[in-house]
Amino acid sequence: AGTVSTREEFARKLREQPVDIVLSDYRMKGWTGMDALAIVKEVCPDVPLILLTGTLGDELAVECIKNGVTDYVLKDQLARLPMAIRRAQDERSLREAETRALAALRESEEHYRTLVQNAPEAIVVLDVERGKFIDCNDNALRLFRLTREELLQFGPIELSPPHQPHGQPSDLAIREHIERALQGGTPRFEWVHRNSQGVDIPCEVHLVRLLSSKRQLVRGSIVDITERKAAEAALRESEARYRGLVNNATYGIYWVAMDGDLLYVNPALVHMLGYDSADDLLKVKNSRAFYCDGSAREKIHAEYLRNGRANATAEWKRRDGKAITVRINGRRANDPERGDECVEVLVEDVTERV
């Protein structure tokens, strides 16, 4: 605590020492309490100032409060001073807490904005009631080929074709997904968007509800999966061509899991072993049943594990019990349908050559 009598001393004290509260007379020699208030606002605007005065009319009191005086106490009512000081300190603590909260909120919002802007996917925020986007990142602008001002005039329905590939109307389908998000779900689904050029874009969309006290907000993360779809189509086409070659091959081909379970057999193998159909042969379940000597199968399997491939000759038995000699050429691969590791085996009947 300290006392000063001139405005110069007052300003110097405020600059040199921390001050919690200022008590000022309204009228002083050569200056006033309002002059003191102006210095407080300039040097340390968060410090409260309480005026002490002999008399202060209602109009002047209102004017002082409007200008920033925290409170005033009449000198014949100094018993109010402790209460006025406590109230001023409480108000200052509250303002400081609000300032810290706002700073933290701005920092959090800035961190969120940085994350959104640098996210690899397109991100939009939807006002559900209005059906319009209220925020987006630059990747969303690139995806839809729109400016920010243009994009924020649209919602997901306007940026989608009338129907999705499965036939459901886009407006009904998107409402179902949004409703799931509003109920706390995190729906992830494939969706076709349409950009400003009229080009349909296959996308993967992930929705999540954003907390807001005033509006229903849903954030959408949108990934363009055009390349993935093209790769999947090319793979299906390649697999179809390969399956066609396998089915028309003159030598036996089968895929078998690492434990020996049969996954696929081609028509040539069915014919070689004397079965009526591929389904009949697959009922054998395990390739161990092909071998006359089970130890031969184990040796070949060990070669797969050790070298990734095997070339061998073995004695097999047909459905009618007749033994045949086969040449086996196999390699470790991936099951084209399930993606699991398996062995792809080419089999040639060499009985007549032995």
Side-chain angles (χ1 to χ4, degrees):
T3 303
V4 296
S5 57
T6 67
R7 70 176 70 200
E8 292 77 13
E9 289 178 315
F10 179 58
R12 184 170 61 253
K13 192 172 187 68
L14 289 181
R15 290 188 174 93
E16 294 177 353
Q17 298 181 15
V19 176
D20 294 323
I21 195 167
V22 173
L23 303 179
S24 173
D25 204 338
Y26 182 75
R27 290 185 177 84
M28 298 169 284
K29 187 176 180 180
W31 60 312
T32 69
M34 300 310 292
D35 295 325
L37 177 64
I39 297 172
V40 168
K41 286 183 176 180
E42 178 184 351
V43 178
C44 46
D46 292 332
V47 172
L49 182 145
I50 298 176
L51 286 179
L52 302 178
T53 180
T55 58
L56 195 66
D58 291 342
E59 292 184 5
L60 185 55
V62 170
E63 190 66 26
C64 289
I65 297 299
K66 284 183 177 179
N67 287 331
V69 170
T70 304
D71 203 349
Y72 68 94
V73 176
L74 299 178
K75 291 182 179 179
D76 61 357
Q77 297 178 0
L78 289 180
R80 282 193 61 248
L81 184 58
M83 183 183 302
I85 292 175
R86 282 196 298 273
R87 189 172 70 85
Q89 290 174 330
D90 290 343
E91 289 180 355
R92 182 184 183 185
S93 297
L94 181 60
R95 287 196 303 272
E96 290 176 344
E98 290 175 345
T99 299
R100 289 193 298 270
L102 287 173
L105 179 60
R106 283 193 295 270
E107 182 179 5
S108 175
E109 290 175 343
E110 185 60 31
H111 288 168
Y112 175 75
R113 172 59 56 185
T114 300
L115 288 173
V116 167
Q117 286 296 349
N118 291 283
E121 69 270 29
I123 293 180
V124 292
V125 177
L126 175 70
D127 183 330
V128 176
E129 185 175 353
R130 293 179 55 237
K132 306 294 182 185
F133 297 127
I134 62 169
D135 201 2
C136 64
N137 67 353
D138 291 344
N139 281 337
L141 305 180
R142 286 187 281 270
L143 177 69
F144 294 111
R145 296 195 176 188
L146 293 168
T147 66
R148 180 179 176 83
E149 291 73 20
E150 290 170 337
L151 181 57
L152 298 189
Q153 296 178 29
F154 298 116
I157 296 176
E158 293 90 344
L159 296 174
S160 302
H163 293 82
Q164 290 299 301
H166 49 68
Q168 187 176 17
S170 293
D171 57 347
L172 296 180
I174 196 61
R175 288 191 186 110
E176 290 178 2
H177 293 306
I178 290 172
E179 187 60 32
R180 286 178 56 202
L182 291 176
Q183 292 175 0
T186 55
R188 186 184 298 272
F189 53 94
E190 290 190 3
W191 188 264
V192 175
H193 275 296
R194 179 170 289 174
N195 68 16
S196 62
Q197 309 300 309
V199 176
D200 287 349
I201 308 167
C203 299
E204 183 176 270
V205 179
H206 180 210
L207 301 182
V208 63
R209 177 170 57 93
L210 295 181
L211 295 179
S212 173
S213 60
K214 298 180 179 179
R215 294 181 288 185
Q216 289 185 319
L217 302 180
V218 171
R219 188 196 70 181
S221 299
I222 308 170
V223 178
D224 183 345
I225 58 173
T226 301
E227 293 184 2
R228 189 175 85 190
K229 285 294 186 181
E232 290 174 353
L235 179 60
R236 287 193 298 270
E237 183 180 354
S238 175
E239 289 175 350
R241 288 198 302 267
Y242 179 69
R243 182 60 61 89
L245 291 172
V246 168
N247 285 336
N248 293 308
T250 57
Y251 44 82
I253 298 176
Y254 69 97
W255 282 296
V256 61
M258 297 305 294
D259 60 3
D261 286 347
L262 292 170
L263 303 174
Y264 169 80
V265 295
N266 77 337
L269 187 69
V270 173
H271 177 74
M272 182 188 302
L273 294 178
Y275 285 82
D276 295 329
S277 66
D279 289 339
D280 283 342
L281 182 51
L282 289 173
K283 290 176 182 177
V284 174
K285 298 294 186 183
N286 198 285
S287 62
R288 291 185 180 91
F290 295 165
Y291 289 83
C292 296
D293 181 1
S295 64
R297 187 266 173 193
E298 298 307 321
K299 289 180 181 178
I300 294 172
H301 183 67
E303 283 291 312
Y304 294 141
L305 295 178
R306 184 166 52 250
N307 301 320
R309 60 177 55 248
N311 292 286
T313 301
E315 294 295 317
W316 277 15
K317 52 190 173 184
R318 288 166 44 92
R319 185 179 193 178
D320 58 13
K322 180 181 177 181
I324 60 173
T325 303
V326 296
R327 180 177 293 127
I328 297 170
N329 188 332
R331 66 181 182 89
R332 290 171 69 170
N334 285 320
D335 178 358
E337 293 184 355
R338 298 188 301 180
D340 298 332
E341 189 175 27
C342 67
V343 177
E344 181 185 61
V345 186
L346 280 64
V347 184
E348 185 181 5
D349 184 352
V350 296
T351 304
E352 295 180 359
R353 304 180 197 173
V354 176

